[in-house]
Amino acid sequence: MANRILIIEDEEKIARFVELELKHEGNEVEKAFDGREGLEKALSGHFDLILLDVMLPGLNGLEVLRRIRLEKQVPVIMLTARDAVMDKVSGLDAGADDYITKPFAIEELLARIRVALKKRGPVEVATHTLSIKGVTLDEDRYEVTINGDSIELTNREFELLRILMKNKNIVLDREKLMNEVCGYDYIGETNIIDVYVRYLRTKIDDRYGIKLIHTVRGVGYVIKE
Ligand code: CA
């Protein structure tokens, strides 16, 4: 898929040259020729990477970067004047991913862009997130999603799923599950866990074609990775 790259650079010759090279490599490119316009585009559009000149009219590159970082984690490569050590340090401090000194060889810039795009990787997963077979359970937000779809679960269904996912590959017996899900003082149907497992299978396994919860005959249930 084509990457969308924003070039914020007031030297139009450089901007056009880099644009041409990036398009040649299959990227989509937008340009801005001053700091304010660049910031506006950076914040309002979706970009996979931003090339940001430090010396810009309107709003300088470091300030643009600082404001971008308040809202976005998009990779940013700074273009700095030769030997402007302060710019490099301040740029990295302000959250730039990399910098390149002018004048630069286009091949080097393209290589650094590829590295920055690769490093981006998958979106960071929250600490209290469990994920198995495309089913993601967020313990902090009390949320279950499958391929981005949000799944509506009752508290007990959520608890049961959470315990099974936390103990993946371990068979849990009905009594333990009942204690965990319903509390130790629960008095009621002894097959309550089977009922909740059935609900979960209807909402998850059946609807999304996943085999998530396995029955271990005579013992209990397990979620296998
Ligand atoms: Ca400049």
Side-chain angles (χ1 to χ4, degrees):
M1 217 177 67
N3 285 303
R4 283 179 53 76
I5 297 176
L6 174 63
I7 303 171
I8 308 174
E9 163 65 89
D10 59 313
E11 286 163 82
E12 300 195 13
K13 249 174 70 182
I14 295 181
R16 293 225 161 81
F17 171 61
V18 173
E19 175 188 30
L20 220 64
E21 293 288 335
L22 286 172
K23 282 187 168 169
H24 183 72
E25 294 233 321
N27 301 287
E28 287 171 21
V29 177
E30 259 200 62
K31 297 190 300 302
F33 300 121
D34 70 64
R36 282 185 199 287
E37 186 195 358
L39 179 65
E40 207 179 285
K41 285 192 170 168
L43 294 183
S44 61
H46 165 79
F47 295 97
D48 298 293
L49 185 132
I50 296 173
L51 288 178
L52 177 58
D53 186 30
V54 173
M55 299 290 285
L56 287 170
L59 206 57
N60 80 54
L62 290 174
E63 186 57 21
V64 172
L65 175 62
R66 201 183 62 75
R67 297 201 196 174
I68 290 173
R69 277 291 170 264
L70 292 176
E71 297 190 28
K72 294 194 170 185
Q73 281 310 311
V74 53
V76 174
I77 297 179
M78 307 287 292
L79 308 175
T80 71
R82 185 159 42 155
D83 297 332
V85 178
M86 274 314 291
D87 286 348
K88 292 172 200 166
V89 174
S90 324
L92 295 175
D93 279 352
D97 296 81
D98 201 354
Y99 60 84
I100 191 161
T101 347
K102 289 193 219 173
F104 49 80
I106 190 68
E107 283 310 323
E108 190 189 351
L109 178 62
L110 294 177
R112 285 178 185 235
I113 289 174
R114 282 192 290 269
V115 169
L117 286 171
K118 230 181 261 167
K119 248 198 310 201
R120 197 174 32 156
V123 178
E124 221 170 285
V125 184
T127 337
H128 300 104
T129 297
L130 306 164
S131 195
I132 298 173
K133 291 184 179 171
V135 179
T136 300
L137 182 145
D138 187 326
E139 294 187 288
D140 297 327
R141 294 186 188 176
Y142 232 73
E143 226 174 51
V144 176
T145 53
I146 300 178
N147 304 329
D149 286 4
S150 183
I151 310 297
E152 289 286 334
L153 298 180
T154 64
N155 286 353
R156 282 180 173 179
E157 288 163 1
F158 183 92
E159 250 341 90
L160 176 60
L161 183 63
R162 191 173 71 83
I163 286 149
L164 285 167
M165 286 179 79
K166 270 209 130 133
N167 295 281
K168 66 181 176 194
N169 301 323
I170 298 170
V171 180
L172 299 176
D173 64 37
R174 287 180 174 76
E175 197 191 346
K176 177 167 172 56
L177 289 170
M178 201 160 78
N179 289 338
E180 292 281 357
V181 172
C182 308
Y184 286 86
D185 52 0
Y186 172 77
I187 307 166
E189 299 296 325
T190 51
N191 71 343
I192 188 81
I193 291 303
D194 303 286
V195 174
Y196 289 133
V197 166
R198 203 156 63 232
Y199 289 154
L200 283 174
R201 281 178 173 156
T202 308
K203 291 181 178 181
I204 295 173
D205 296 35
D206 297 354
R207 197 178 303 166
Y208 291 91
I210 307 167
K211 186 91 185 91
L212 189 66
I213 303 175
H214 296 262
T215 306
V216 179
R217 215 176 275 268
V219 186
Y221 296 98
V222 62
I223 285 182
K224 293 183 194 164
E225 181 133 57

